[in-house]
Amino acid sequence: MQGTVDGFTYGLVTPVAAFLMAALGAALGLRCTTRSLHATRSCRAGWLALGSLSIGSGVWTMHFVAMTGFTVQETPISYDKPLTLAGLAVAVVMIGIGIFIVGYRGATRMALITGGTITGLGIASMHYLGMAGMRMAAQFAYDTPLVVLSVLIAGCAATGALWAAVTLRGALSGLGASVLMAVAVTGMHYTGMAALDVHLHLPPTLPSDLSAVLPGDRPAEMIGPMLVGPGCFLLLAAVVLLFDPGAVTGESGPITRPGHRPRDHQVPQPRRRPRNDPHARGRRPRSTAREGTGTARYR
Protein backbone atom coordinates (compact mmCIF):
# COMPACT_ATOMS: atom_id res chain seq x y z
CA MET A 1 0.00 0.00 0.00
CA GLN A 2 1.38 3.37 -1.02
CA GLY A 3 1.56 5.97 1.73
CA THR A 4 0.37 9.55 1.32
CA VAL A 5 3.46 11.69 1.92
CA ASP A 6 3.30 15.38 2.80
CA GLY A 7 6.56 17.29 3.19
CA PHE A 8 4.90 20.65 3.87
CA THR A 9 2.49 19.90 6.69
CA TYR A 10 2.91 23.39 8.17
CA GLY A 11 3.13 25.18 4.85
CA LEU A 12 6.15 27.39 4.26
CA VAL A 13 7.00 27.64 7.96
CA THR A 14 9.32 24.64 8.09
CA PRO A 15 11.14 25.30 4.75
CA VAL A 16 11.79 28.94 5.65
CA ALA A 17 12.93 28.06 9.18
CA ALA A 18 15.15 25.29 7.81
CA PHE A 19 16.69 27.67 5.27
CA LEU A 20 17.42 30.28 7.95
CA MET A 21 19.16 27.72 10.16
CA ALA A 22 21.26 26.49 7.23
CA ALA A 23 22.16 30.09 6.30
CA LEU A 24 23.15 30.92 9.88
CA GLY A 25 25.38 27.88 10.18
CA ALA A 26 26.95 28.48 6.76
CA ALA A 27 27.57 32.17 7.48
CA LEU A 28 29.32 31.46 10.78
CA GLY A 29 31.25 28.47 9.45
CA LEU A 30 32.46 30.13 6.26
CA ARG A 31 33.49 33.24 8.19
CA CYS A 32 35.54 31.05 10.55
CA THR A 33 37.13 29.41 7.50
CA THR A 34 38.01 32.81 6.03
CA ARG A 35 39.35 33.99 9.37
CA SER A 36 41.60 30.95 9.64
CA LEU A 37 43.51 32.00 6.52
CA HIS A 38 44.78 35.10 8.37
CA ALA A 39 45.49 33.37 11.67
CA THR A 40 48.76 31.91 12.86
CA ARG A 41 49.36 28.23 12.27
CA SER A 42 48.71 27.42 15.92
CA CYS A 43 45.30 29.16 15.86
CA ARG A 44 44.23 28.01 12.40
CA ALA A 45 43.11 24.57 13.57
CA GLY A 46 40.83 26.15 16.18
CA TRP A 47 39.14 28.39 13.62
CA LEU A 48 38.66 25.50 11.19
CA ALA A 49 37.25 23.25 13.91
CA LEU A 50 34.81 25.97 14.93
CA GLY A 51 33.83 26.41 11.28
CA SER A 52 33.12 22.69 10.83
CA LEU A 53 31.02 22.66 14.01
CA SER A 54 29.02 25.66 12.77
CA ILE A 55 28.33 24.33 9.29
CA GLY A 56 27.61 20.79 10.52
CA SER A 57 25.28 22.05 13.25
CA GLY A 58 23.47 24.37 10.86
CA VAL A 59 22.98 21.68 8.23
CA TRP A 60 21.80 19.11 10.78
CA THR A 61 19.42 21.62 12.39
CA MET A 62 18.05 22.47 8.93
CA HIS A 63 17.40 18.78 8.28
CA PHE A 64 15.66 18.17 11.61
CA VAL A 65 13.52 21.34 11.38
CA ALA A 66 12.47 20.42 7.84
CA MET A 67 11.62 16.86 8.94
CA THR A 68 9.12 18.16 11.50
CA GLY A 69 6.96 19.12 8.52
CA PHE A 70 7.20 15.64 7.00
CA THR A 71 4.21 13.38 7.67
CA VAL A 72 2.66 10.22 6.27
CA GLN A 73 -1.10 10.39 6.48
CA GLU A 74 -1.65 6.72 7.26
CA THR A 75 0.96 6.26 10.03
CA PRO A 76 2.73 8.33 12.70
CA ILE A 77 6.48 8.88 12.59
CA SER A 78 9.06 8.53 15.34
CA TYR A 79 12.85 8.88 15.39
CA ASP A 80 15.69 6.78 16.69
CA LYS A 81 17.87 9.08 18.81
CA PRO A 82 21.25 7.32 18.32
CA LEU A 83 20.96 7.32 14.53
CA THR A 84 19.71 10.91 14.50
CA LEU A 85 22.64 12.09 16.62
CA ALA A 86 25.02 9.97 14.54
CA GLY A 87 23.98 12.07 11.56
CA LEU A 88 25.17 15.19 13.40
CA ALA A 89 28.53 13.56 14.20
CA VAL A 90 29.04 12.39 10.61
CA ALA A 91 28.22 15.87 9.27
CA VAL A 92 30.66 17.62 11.62
CA VAL A 93 33.51 15.16 11.00
CA MET A 94 33.23 15.00 7.20
CA ILE A 95 32.65 18.73 6.81
CA GLY A 96 35.64 19.27 9.10
CA ILE A 97 37.85 17.12 6.85
CA GLY A 98 36.83 19.13 3.80
CA ILE A 99 37.34 22.47 5.55
CA PHE A 100 40.76 21.47 6.91
CA ILE A 101 41.90 20.47 3.42
CA VAL A 102 40.96 23.86 2.01
CA GLY A 103 42.18 25.73 5.09
CA TYR A 104 45.69 24.28 4.90
CA ARG A 105 46.03 23.77 1.13
CA GLY A 106 44.50 27.06 0.04
CA ALA A 107 42.34 27.81 -2.98
CA THR A 108 44.02 25.37 -5.33
CA ARG A 109 41.84 23.47 -7.75
CA MET A 110 42.62 20.06 -6.27
CA ALA A 111 42.05 21.25 -2.69
CA LEU A 112 38.69 22.84 -3.55
CA ILE A 113 37.47 19.80 -5.49
CA THR A 114 38.60 17.36 -2.81
CA GLY A 115 37.37 19.45 0.12
CA GLY A 116 34.08 20.32 -1.57
CA THR A 117 33.41 16.69 -2.51
CA ILE A 118 34.06 15.43 1.02
CA THR A 119 31.94 18.23 2.49
CA GLY A 120 29.09 17.46 0.07
CA LEU A 121 29.27 13.75 0.87
CA GLY A 122 29.12 14.61 4.56
CA ILE A 123 25.95 16.67 4.03
CA ALA A 124 24.34 13.91 1.96
CA SER A 125 25.38 11.22 4.45
CA MET A 126 23.85 13.19 7.29
CA HIS A 127 20.57 13.50 5.37
CA TYR A 128 20.18 9.83 4.49
CA LEU A 129 21.40 8.68 7.90
CA GLY A 130 18.71 10.86 9.43
CA MET A 131 16.18 9.28 7.10
CA ALA A 132 17.33 5.85 8.23
CA GLY A 133 16.57 6.93 11.80
CA MET A 134 12.87 7.37 11.03
CA ARG A 135 10.56 4.76 12.52
CA MET A 136 7.13 4.04 11.02
CA ALA A 137 5.03 1.09 9.93
CA ALA A 138 6.35 1.33 6.39
CA GLN A 139 9.27 0.54 4.13
CA PHE A 140 11.28 3.19 2.25
CA ALA A 141 12.25 3.08 -1.41
CA TYR A 142 14.35 5.70 -3.19
CA ASP A 143 14.45 6.90 -6.78
CA THR A 144 18.14 6.47 -7.70
CA PRO A 145 18.45 9.38 -10.21
CA LEU A 146 17.01 11.84 -7.69
CA VAL A 147 19.33 10.53 -4.98
CA VAL A 148 22.35 11.04 -7.26
CA LEU A 149 21.08 14.53 -8.11
CA SER A 150 20.78 15.42 -4.42
CA VAL A 151 24.37 14.31 -3.77
CA LEU A 152 25.63 16.33 -6.76
CA ILE A 153 23.78 19.41 -5.50
CA ALA A 154 25.43 19.05 -2.10
CA GLY A 155 28.91 18.59 -3.57
CA CYS A 156 28.66 21.50 -6.02
CA ALA A 157 27.22 23.81 -3.37
CA ALA A 158 29.96 22.94 -0.88
CA THR A 159 32.69 23.47 -3.48
CA GLY A 160 31.30 26.82 -4.55
CA ALA A 161 30.86 28.03 -0.99
CA LEU A 162 34.40 27.02 0.01
CA TRP A 163 35.81 28.74 -3.09
CA ALA A 164 33.97 31.94 -2.22
CA ALA A 165 35.12 31.75 1.41
CA VAL A 166 38.83 31.49 0.58
CA THR A 167 39.02 33.76 -2.49
CA LEU A 168 36.46 36.55 -2.07
CA ARG A 169 36.71 39.26 0.56
CA GLY A 170 34.16 41.42 2.30
CA ALA A 171 30.91 40.97 4.19
CA LEU A 172 28.70 40.92 1.08
CA SER A 173 30.67 38.11 -0.57
CA GLY A 174 30.53 36.08 2.64
CA LEU A 175 26.79 36.67 2.88
CA GLY A 176 26.33 35.60 -0.73
CA ALA A 177 28.33 32.42 -0.17
CA SER A 178 26.28 31.51 2.91
CA VAL A 179 23.00 32.13 1.08
CA LEU A 180 24.21 30.04 -1.85
CA MET A 181 25.12 27.17 0.43
CA ALA A 182 21.84 27.42 2.37
CA VAL A 183 19.75 27.41 -0.82
CA ALA A 184 21.65 24.42 -2.21
CA VAL A 185 21.58 22.44 1.06
CA THR A 186 17.86 23.07 1.53
CA GLY A 187 17.28 22.16 -2.12
CA MET A 188 19.32 19.01 -1.64
CA HIS A 189 17.14 18.06 1.32
CA TYR A 190 13.86 18.43 -0.54
CA THR A 191 15.32 16.74 -3.63
CA GLY A 192 16.18 13.76 -1.45
CA MET A 193 12.69 13.82 0.05
CA ALA A 194 11.18 13.85 -3.44
CA ALA A 195 13.11 10.63 -4.16
CA LEU A 196 11.36 8.87 -1.26
CA ASP A 197 8.48 6.41 -1.70
CA VAL A 198 6.71 5.02 1.37
CA HIS A 199 5.22 1.52 1.17
CA LEU A 200 3.00 0.77 4.16
CA HIS A 201 2.85 -2.61 5.82
CA LEU A 202 0.20 -2.01 8.48
CA PRO A 203 -1.11 -4.86 10.66
CA PRO A 204 -4.56 -6.17 9.82
CA THR A 205 -5.96 -4.94 13.13
CA LEU A 206 -4.95 -1.36 13.94
CA PRO A 207 -4.76 -0.24 17.57
CA SER A 208 -6.55 2.90 18.60
CA ASP A 209 -3.21 4.70 19.03
CA LEU A 210 -0.77 3.41 16.42
CA SER A 211 2.05 5.57 17.80
CA ALA A 212 2.08 3.42 20.93
CA VAL A 213 3.44 0.43 18.99
CA LEU A 214 6.23 2.32 17.22
CA PRO A 215 9.71 2.57 18.80
CA GLY A 216 11.48 5.88 19.20
CA ASP A 217 10.34 9.38 20.14
CA ARG A 218 7.86 11.70 18.49
CA PRO A 219 9.23 14.76 16.64
CA ALA A 220 7.39 17.18 18.94
CA GLU A 221 9.03 15.56 21.96
CA MET A 222 12.53 15.59 20.45
CA ILE A 223 12.83 18.95 18.77
CA GLY A 224 13.58 20.93 21.93
CA PRO A 225 16.24 18.69 23.53
CA MET A 226 17.80 17.75 20.19
CA LEU A 227 18.41 21.36 19.17
CA VAL A 228 20.17 22.33 22.41
CA GLY A 229 23.59 20.99 21.36
CA PRO A 230 23.70 22.46 17.82
CA GLY A 231 22.27 25.71 19.17
CA CYS A 232 25.13 25.95 21.67
CA PHE A 233 27.68 25.35 18.87
CA LEU A 234 26.16 28.13 16.76
CA LEU A 235 26.01 30.48 19.74
CA LEU A 236 29.66 29.78 20.56
CA ALA A 237 30.71 30.56 16.98
CA ALA A 238 28.65 33.75 16.97
CA VAL A 239 30.17 34.98 20.25
CA VAL A 240 33.73 34.24 19.12
CA LEU A 241 33.23 36.05 15.82
CA LEU A 242 31.46 38.94 17.53
CA PHE A 243 34.47 39.70 19.69
CA ASP A 244 37.03 39.05 16.97
CA PRO A 245 38.27 42.23 15.25
CA GLY A 246 38.65 40.51 11.87
CA ALA A 247 35.19 38.92 11.84
CA VAL A 248 33.77 41.21 9.15
CA THR A 249 36.78 41.79 6.93
CA GLY A 250 38.33 38.38 7.45
CA GLU A 251 41.68 40.01 8.28
CA SER A 252 43.65 39.70 11.47
CA GLY A 253 45.07 42.48 13.55
CA PRO A 254 43.85 45.08 16.00
CA ILE A 255 41.09 47.54 15.23
CA THR A 256 42.48 50.92 14.26
CA ARG A 257 41.00 54.38 13.91
CA PRO A 258 40.93 56.00 10.45
CA GLY A 259 44.27 57.65 9.73
CA HIS A 260 45.96 55.95 12.66
CA ARG A 261 48.65 53.34 12.15
CA PRO A 262 48.95 50.74 14.91
CA ARG A 263 52.26 50.55 16.73
CA ASP A 264 52.97 47.02 15.53
CA HIS A 265 52.62 48.06 11.90
CA GLN A 266 54.63 51.32 11.96
CA VAL A 267 57.27 51.52 9.28
CA PRO A 268 60.68 52.03 10.93
CA GLN A 269 62.33 55.30 9.93
CA PRO A 270 66.12 55.66 9.64
CA ARG A 271 67.74 57.62 12.44
CA ARG A 272 69.35 60.92 11.44
CA ARG A 273 71.97 62.68 13.48
CA PRO A 274 71.26 66.33 14.25
CA ARG A 275 73.44 68.94 12.59
CA ASN A 276 75.00 70.01 15.89
CA ASP A 277 75.90 66.40 16.77
CA PRO A 278 79.49 66.54 18.23
CA HIS A 279 80.18 63.06 16.86
CA ALA A 280 79.49 64.23 13.33
CA ARG A 281 81.69 67.37 13.43
CA GLY A 282 84.97 65.55 12.96
CA ARG A 283 83.69 63.52 10.05
CA ARG A 284 85.22 64.53 6.74
CA PRO A 285 82.66 65.39 4.09
CA ARG A 286 82.53 62.99 1.17
CA SER A 287 83.10 64.48 -2.23
CA THR A 288 80.88 63.48 -5.13
CA ALA A 289 83.02 65.25 -7.74
CA ARG A 290 84.93 63.40 -10.40
CA GLU A 291 88.60 63.92 -11.07
CA GLY A 292 89.32 66.76 -13.44
CA THR A 293 86.29 68.83 -12.56
CA GLY A 294 86.57 72.20 -10.90
CA THR A 295 83.59 71.96 -8.57
CA ALA A 296 82.58 69.55 -5.91
CA ARG A 297 79.39 69.02 -3.99
CA TYR A 298 79.39 68.07 -0.38
CA ARG A 299 76.70 66.45 1.66
Side-chain angles (χ1 to χ4, degrees), residues 21 60-61 64-65 67-68 79 81 84-85 88 217-233:
M21 295 307 299
W60 184 88
T61 306
F64 198 75
V65 169
M67 288 306 297
T68 58
Y79 290 89
K81 278 186 178 179
T84 305
L85 292 175
L88 173 61
D217 298 307
R218 311 286 90 76
E221 300 171 358
M222 292 179 60
I223 188 168
M226 294 288 279
L227 295 182
V228 171
C232 292
F233 289 148

Side-chain angles (χ1 to χ4, degrees), residues 267-282:
V267 178
Q269 299 292 334
R271 296 182 59 185
R272 295 183 178 179
R273 295 182 182 273
R275 293 185 177 182
N276 57 354
D277 188 358
H279 298 285
R281 291 179 181 177

Side-chain angles (χ1 to χ4, degrees), residues 178-249:
S178 61
V179 170
L180 169 66
M181 190 169 188
V183 169
V185 169
T186 308
M188 173 266 163
H189 171 84
Y190 286 102
T191 302
M193 297 306 298
L196 176 66
D197 288 327
V198 178
H199 301 281
L200 301 174
H201 47 79
L202 298 176
T205 304
L206 296 178
S208 57
D209 185 11
L210 185 59
S211 62
V213 302
L214 292 176
D217 298 307
R218 311 286 90 76
E221 300 171 358
M222 292 179 60
I223 188 168
M226 294 288 279
L227 295 182
V228 171
C232 292
F233 289 148
L234 294 175
L235 180 62
L236 173 63
V239 170
V240 171
L241 289 173
L242 180 64
F243 290 98
D244 181 71
V248 177
T249 61

